[in-house]
Amino acid sequence: MSGVDGWLRRALPGRCAFCLAALPGEAPWCAACFAELPWNLPACDGCGEPQPPAQAGLRCGRCLRRPPTFDRARVPLRYTNEVAGLVQRFKFDASPRAGSLLLELLMTRLSADARAWPEALVAVPLHPRRARGRGFDQALWLSRRLALRLGCPLVSAQRLRDTPSQRGLDRGERRKNLRAAFVVPATLPGRVALVDDVVTTGATLEALAVACRRAGAREVEAWAVARTPLHDR
């Protein structure tokens, strides 16, 4: 049993984390609830954008026209329904139970090859002023535990500017808002995975990927728990 599974089963022994049904096995959820979660399938493997079924296995038109600055996105869930509720409790209420569930859901969708791929993780950083105001850094929380699970180092990035809120901005406005917003003060290894809780347009991860390449990374992947569908932005 994983450490996250053990924590969840101590918190709710023998019960599904979603419907509270009795559980016969070790997983923290029942098979029915797990199957009904809003899985991000199919999705563009370039940016993680949800795609219609006919586009399965293909990159989206936006990635074909302008590939993102990271090489690949791994985002297993869509930010809706139960997942949106979990993210909100984790992000705004600092719920360790919600965070542990999100981490475990992410791990279930990382193949053995994906888990072995990164030579370092980099969390999307909050500006220190915003981190103090919120009192909780959700990307750092996830990244620390993910690094322990994968057995790879976590390298710190810095947000140079306390950028205005991204809410209500389109993709181009978000890119402009985040230009030169990040720096990685250490030299990075060749393969790096960026970690965040939710991807909206991908602009934040793109800006951080640029900083990581400047610090020496040759290949960069973007990892997050959930992606906001286009119609919900």
Side-chain angles (χ1 to χ4, degrees), residues 117-204:
W117 182 85
E119 295 175 301
L121 302 182
V122 177
V124 172
L126 287 174
H127 188 274
R129 186 182 301 112
R130 189 165 298 186
R132 287 193 298 270
R134 184 182 292 177
F136 178 64
D137 187 333
Q138 74 280 356
L140 182 60
W141 192 99
L142 281 173
S143 299
R144 283 174 172 163
R145 287 153 181 80
L146 187 58
L148 287 173
R149 296 283 292 275
L150 301 182
C152 70
L154 175 62
V155 180
S156 297
Q158 295 175 3
R159 189 182 286 253
L160 299 176
R161 295 184 289 110
D162 189 7
T163 53
S165 172
Q166 298 279 73
R167 293 179 184 177
L169 302 182
D170 64 23
R171 190 184 185 94
E173 291 168 334
R174 286 179 179 234
R175 280 203 191 100
K176 184 177 180 181
N177 191 32
L178 289 161
R179 192 169 296 146
F182 301 108
V183 67
V184 181
T187 299
L188 289 173
R191 299 191 306 272
V192 172
L194 315 180
V195 182
D196 206 355
D197 57 339
V198 177
V199 182
T200 302
T201 67
T204 299

Side-chain angles (χ1 to χ4, degrees), residues 2-5 8 29 76-77 86 90 96-110 115 121 141-150 195 223 225:
S2 74
V4 175
D5 280 352
L8 290 167
W29 43 63
L77 291 154
L86 277 176
F90 173 52
R97 178 173 175 270
S100 295
L101 271 170
L102 292 170
L103 175 60
E104 194 66 11
L105 288 168
L106 174 61
M107 288 292 294
T108 65
R109 285 301 185 259
L110 291 176
R115 295 182 189 195
L121 302 182
W141 192 99
L142 281 173
S143 299
R144 283 174 172 163
R145 287 153 181 80
L146 187 58
L148 287 173
R149 296 283 292 275
L150 301 182
V195 182
W223 292 9
V225 177

